[in-house]
Amino acid sequence: MTINLTERQQRIIEIVKDNDPITSKEIAKQLNLSRGALRSDLSVLTMANILEAKPRVGYFYSRDNSYLRDFDELYGQKIKEIKSAAVVVKEEASVYDTIVTLFLKDIGSLFIIDQQESLIGVVSRKDLLKITIGEGDIKKMPVSVIMTRMPNIITVKDEDTILEAAKLIVKYKIDSLPVVKIEEGSAESDQQIYRVIGRVTKTNIARVFVDFGLKI
Ligand code: ADP
């Protein structure tokens, strides 16, 4: 409820911050307004807990800032709380079968895994569209030929925050991020395994945003 402050309300906050405790009469004087003209702004700001009114003393700037905690709660939410299930495809799957999986699972991107079930690539709708307008036989061509591959895959972990995920999606202009858990490989290979344990998409983030809007 504190998001859309008017210019005048912001000005009032500044005045109270610098001069508190301050009466409404003094605030009105600084703004060249009547006290009556300020009444609704002051009640908005006190209801939003930005200002506190003490009878016979005046207005204080609320150092409590509980409204800001709501934003921490929003941006600080962990990936594990908002992720969806990932759909993975084996590297030897054909482009054709991958497209079928995309439709069956009603999903925009698929993650590609190797024999050890470690993440090795991502394939998006446009990657698949692009190859279908070429000459190749998509029933014979393995998806690994067209995927975006490691080490260029942008990933997140369960404990990362929604803000970190949203920043990556914006920075790299992509729709989804695999959520991975890094495990040590077998003694022989000593290669780390990027186990896919979910995905975060623009939709997940939009949903959190909408839920937050409904809550306040
Ligand atoms: P689309 O290509 O359908 O618009 P994206 O915007 O998600 O979907 O993908 C854009 C490009 O980025 C594609 O080539 C895709 O393979 C690649 N890509 C998608 N997700 C990732 C990711 N998490 N890390 C690295 N590359 C990605």
Side-chain angles (χ1 to χ4, degrees):
M1 69 192 274
T2 57
I3 305 164
N4 285 320
L5 295 178
T6 64
E7 223 167 273
R8 187 200 280 172
Q9 287 162 355
Q10 286 173 16
R11 186 85 186 88
I12 294 171
I13 294 171
E14 290 311 311
I15 292 172
V16 178
K17 238 189 217 174
D18 293 342
N19 302 286
D20 64 355
I22 180 169
T23 62
S24 60
K25 198 170 154 196
E26 286 164 325
I27 302 171
K29 204 167 130 201
Q30 290 208 30
L31 290 170
N32 278 327
L33 292 166
S34 70
R35 268 172 74 184
L38 276 188
R39 196 164 298 133
S40 67
D41 287 325
L42 286 171
S43 67
V44 166
L45 294 172
T46 46
M47 264 161 48
N49 289 325
I50 298 173
L51 300 186
E52 276 170 65
K54 290 207 179 127
R56 283 182 297 278
V57 183
Y59 288 88
F60 287 85
Y61 177 64
S62 170
R63 266 89 190 167
D64 163 23
N65 285 345
S66 56
Y67 67 102
L68 286 179
R69 278 206 297 275
D70 286 342
F71 287 100
D72 283 347
E73 199 186 295
L74 170 68
Y75 290 127
Q77 266 187 72
K78 301 282 189 222
I79 294 302
K80 64 173 179 232
E81 291 158 23
I82 65 146
K83 69 182 178 184
S84 337
V87 178
V88 295
V89 171
K90 295 259 173 69
E91 60 184 320
E92 61 274 11
S94 68
V95 169
Y96 179 92
D97 286 341
T98 308
I99 294 173
V100 171
T101 307
L102 192 103
F103 280 110
L104 286 177
K105 302 286 183 181
D106 191 16
I107 213 168
S109 333
L110 296 164
F111 306 134
I112 318 300
I113 54 172
D114 66 10
Q115 307 286 350
Q116 279 80 49
E117 306 205 329
S118 182
L119 175 71
I120 54 164
V122 174
V123 73
S124 74
R125 270 182 280 230
K126 261 184 249 153
D127 295 329
L128 293 164
L129 266 179
K130 202 194 305 168
I131 198 68
T132 58
I133 57 172
E135 297 292 312
D137 181 351
I138 60 166
K139 287 198 171 168
K140 295 221 177 83
M141 189 186 299
V143 68
S144 54
V145 175
I146 63 158
M147 69 188 183
T148 301
R149 53 181 61 240
M150 278 294 206
N152 299 323
I153 308 299
I154 314 300
T155 63
V156 283
K157 304 208 180 69
D158 261 350
E159 297 304 319
D160 290 337
T161 64
I162 166 174
L163 179 61
E164 285 161 328
K167 276 181 170 170
L168 291 171
I169 286 177
V170 171
K171 179 170 178 196
Y172 293 98
K173 302 192 178 72
I174 47 183
D175 291 347
S176 73
L177 301 167
V179 184
V180 297
K181 184 164 167 249
I182 302 176
E183 295 171 2
E184 291 311 320
S186 60
E188 311 92 73
S189 80
D190 84 344
Q191 221 172 8
Q192 286 182 322
I193 297 189
Y194 282 69
R195 182 94 48 215
V196 181
I197 56 171
R199 80 193 155 102
V200 177
T201 65
K202 288 177 178 174
T203 309
N204 292 121
I205 291 171
R207 191 176 302 126
V208 173
F209 185 77
V210 170
D211 290 347
F212 181 76
L214 293 176
K215 202 183 78 181
I216 57 173

